[in-house]
Amino acid sequence: MGSPPSAIAILDSVEVTQKILEAILDSPNGRRTLSRLARTCRAWLDPALSVLWRELDSLVPILGLFPPHLLKKVKKPGLGLTTPPLEKDWEKILRYGGRVLRITYDEISNNVSSSVFPIFEEHRPKTYLLPNLQHLTWRIISPENLDRAALFLTSDLQGLVLHLGGAGTKFPTLPAFLADLGGRMKLQSFSIYSSISLPDTFPDLLAPQGKVERLAVVAPGALSPTVGRWAAHLPFLKSLQLDLSGRSLFAVDGFFRELKSGDSTPNSVESHTDSGVFSGEEVDFTEIRKSLLRLTGDTKKSVAFPALTQLHLTGSAANITAFLTHLSGPLTQLEIVIEDPPDAADWRDLSALICERFGSSLTSLRIGATLSSKFGDLVRSTSRAAPALSRLTLEHLSSLPVLARLIIELPESVIFVATDITSLAKACPKLEEVRLCQQARFTAATPPQLSLEDLAPLVRDCRRLHTLAVVINAKGASQEGGPEASATSRSLLWLHVGHSWVTDTLQVAILLSHFAPYLETVKWFMERNRPGFVEANSRSWQRVSDILPHLQNLRLTERRAAVPQKEVVVEYVHVVAPRPPTSDKAIDATVVAVDCGVDARPSTTENSVQATPSLKDCQTQASPLYASVAVDAVPRTVETEVDAVPETVETEVDATTTEPATVPEPVEERENTNADLRDPLHCSGPPTHHLVSLPSFASLFGFLCRTFIAFPLSLPMRVLGAVFKARPPRDSGGDVALDTLNVRP
């Protein structure tokens, strides 16, 4: 289903869309309406979700984005988680966390269990779950929760409000926390509210924070001279909040004690006006101071708090007056929280000082009560005792020509009279919003002293007045005569009467139709459980609200009818133009030279990148490649044939027998025969063996030869002999083998 053309035209303008969604959010049940709008039309989904999640007052909506099976109780996500979340369980938190710009954690409310922080620290998928967070409010009473704020301290954080509560509780990690804060981020707004003393090195730890525009230091030690010197030289500081309660005037003056000698303050030589608050002298010291500056050469002075325009001070009226005397800059917004009721003399001095020093620049003034004053009023309201009312006079407001907003909310100083309204209308002609103790409640003993007719000067003189909240006594409305014709306002649109008294509803409606013929809204307290509620007055104001629109229409009709319809006659009259008056004036043409220094420091920006790698599960076959290799380990052998046949010598012996000669041989031939026997080859007769006698050396040599030579050779010879035995006998032609011979020894 597509969007209608009108919706598309609205969505084309981002600013118009933003304004419409913000208006819906501020209306009753605004969040529920925006949620339904986001679910109805796809075109409105993204802008509506951005407005819904832009500001959170707790961590509970963040915890509610976890899957239901992880929560201890689905309807109470703040109780914590049963099991740690997995990576897929963070998807919604990461999707919606980028839309959150402001968030608050309040440990005192106890709506979030502290067990969720360890889960965030250990299992979060990213460093910062809220990457676009701009403002963080951290209220804690436990020291261990201080360091847990680092989960949300992104580099783009612009504002931090730190509340350290708990009586007697010490925060040992506070210096380290402030050091990390000062060195890693560039804040534009920083506020610390602590019940313990600040570290001695507090200004040094926050010295790198040179871009702070809004600073609030409410803690013991905030008025030290070192803190004052550091705050006074912040070049972009526009708003400052300090607590002066329970401090002496000497301590208040000590805040400015260590300012450099060149800093300009009202008490220094360059201050050319006298406050006149505490002295009645009217001597002008301007020329004297200028002469002193020329003589000393001390004309180049730096200004303390150069950009300060908004100031919030808490304490007694005397301490606030002492602090304001040290400031000379043009304040535009001043909020003071005083002890109610204030001392009459101190309130007079404070009113005179505000009008004289900041009257030409002050556009908003708000006066509230300290916590002790509110607590006293709360005790009286619960005990049903009548409040002790006092008067806060406005007659000391002399001149506030540009003041547009005045709000006074005091529980005891709630009585205003007609002279206060007259003085206020005369001193502040450009008022647009006035609230004078709209929650005040009165008893029969002390009724409201302002009547509806007493508001005529305020309606007549303040032509820009569009909002008025004041408690009046409308029971004695005058019925004779009517209000002056000039006491009517075309700009007054909203009126809040609180616990105002009323009896004659018709007369009150007539007066209101004259004072504010274009009045759109009339409000009063209708809650029965509110202290000071009177049901009769509530019903009467309801009737006034019902009658007023009809009387307004009647009033406007009468005024249109009362305008006479006259014929317009144009006459031309020759009038000599008067000669304009002239006068001789001398102009000081001295050139004013101003030395300006430019801070040429480059602006650096620290950006953090979410470098979460994308992971993928992969399996790898890690089996190594192998091959079967067979190795022949058999050693190589070579067959070599060796002819081991020994060399043999065949010796043939002629064994042929012959017949011996019959002739006897002589002895000499026998000796020759013996000689021939030595050579058997030459033997002609049968072989005969003779024992030859050799010397002993020869016998030894022969023994050795037989033992070491002949015997080793005899073994293979026997083998060969056995081999050759198988061979057939050689035909030797009658030769006789040697082994057949019988040798005789």
Side-chain angles (χ1 to χ4, degrees), residues 270-291:
E270 64 271 21
S271 300
H272 54 80
T273 58
D274 186 21
S275 63
V277 177
F278 302 102
S279 61
E281 58 185 19
E282 298 180 357
V283 180
D284 188 6
F285 293 94
T286 303
E287 297 299 331
I288 299 176
R289 290 190 176 92
K290 290 182 179 179
S291 301

Side-chain angles (χ1 to χ4, degrees), residues 417-430:
V417 297
T419 56
D420 296 331
I421 301 300
T422 304
S423 300
L424 182 62
K426 183 178 179 181
C428 312
K430 294 185 178 181

Side-chain angles (χ1 to χ4, degrees), residues 416 418 448-456 471-474 476-477 515:
F416 297 97
Q449 297 187 18
L450 275 179
S451 63
L452 188 57
E453 294 86 347
D454 294 337
L455 302 178
V471 180
I472 59 175
N473 185 1
F515 286 155

Side-chain angles (χ1 to χ4, degrees), residues 94-140:
L94 297 179
R95 189 189 315 156
Y96 289 92
R99 303 178 186 270
V100 180
L101 302 182
R102 302 171 65 94
I103 195 169
T104 299
Y105 171 69
D106 191 356
E107 185 183 2
I108 302 177
S109 62
N110 198 23
N111 57 359
V112 176
S113 175
S114 60
S115 61
V116 301
F117 293 107
I119 295 178
F120 284 168
E121 293 175 354
E122 297 178 6
H123 302 281
R124 66 183 186 272
K126 291 185 178 181
T127 305
Y128 300 111
L129 299 177
L130 310 178
N132 299 323
L133 190 66
Q134 297 180 0
H135 194 278
L136 174 65
T137 301
W138 199 256
R139 294 188 178 97
I140 58 174

Side-chain angles (χ1 to χ4, degrees), residues 128-276:
Y128 300 111
L129 299 177
L130 310 178
N132 299 323
L133 190 66
Q134 297 180 0
H135 194 278
L136 174 65
T137 301
W138 199 256
R139 294 188 178 97
I140 58 174
I141 57 177
S142 302
E144 59 272 10
N145 285 336
L146 178 61
D147 296 334
R148 291 170 177 171
L151 295 171
F152 307 96
L153 296 180
T154 63
S155 58
D156 297 332
L157 193 68
Q158 299 179 3
L160 175 63
V161 179
L162 187 62
H163 290 260
L164 305 178
T169 304
K170 296 183 179 180
F171 294 85
T173 60
L174 182 59
F177 179 84
L178 296 176
D180 176 69
L181 192 69
R184 190 165 55 90
M185 287 172 289
K186 297 298 180 181
L187 298 176
Q188 296 182 3
S189 174
F190 176 69
S191 303
I192 179 171
Y193 303 91
S194 175
S195 59
I196 62 173
S197 299
L198 296 176
D200 296 336
T201 58
F202 177 78
D204 298 332
L205 296 175
L206 295 181
Q209 298 294 333
K211 294 185 178 181
V212 175
E213 297 180 3
R214 303 179 64 87
L215 177 64
V217 185
V218 180
L223 296 181
S224 64
T226 55
V227 176
R229 180 181 58 188
W230 168 67
H233 294 90
L234 290 175
F236 303 102
L237 184 63
K238 297 180 180 179
S239 176
L240 176 63
Q241 179 180 355
L242 294 174
D243 188 4
L244 312 179
S245 302
R247 307 303 300 272
S248 62
L249 294 177
F250 180 78
V252 175
D253 293 335
F255 183 77
F256 302 89
R257 188 177 307 156
E258 291 192 5
L259 295 182
K260 295 180 180 179
S261 59
D263 296 331
S264 175
T265 60
N267 295 334
S268 59
V269 178
E270 64 271 21
S271 300
H272 54 80
T273 58
D274 186 21
S275 63

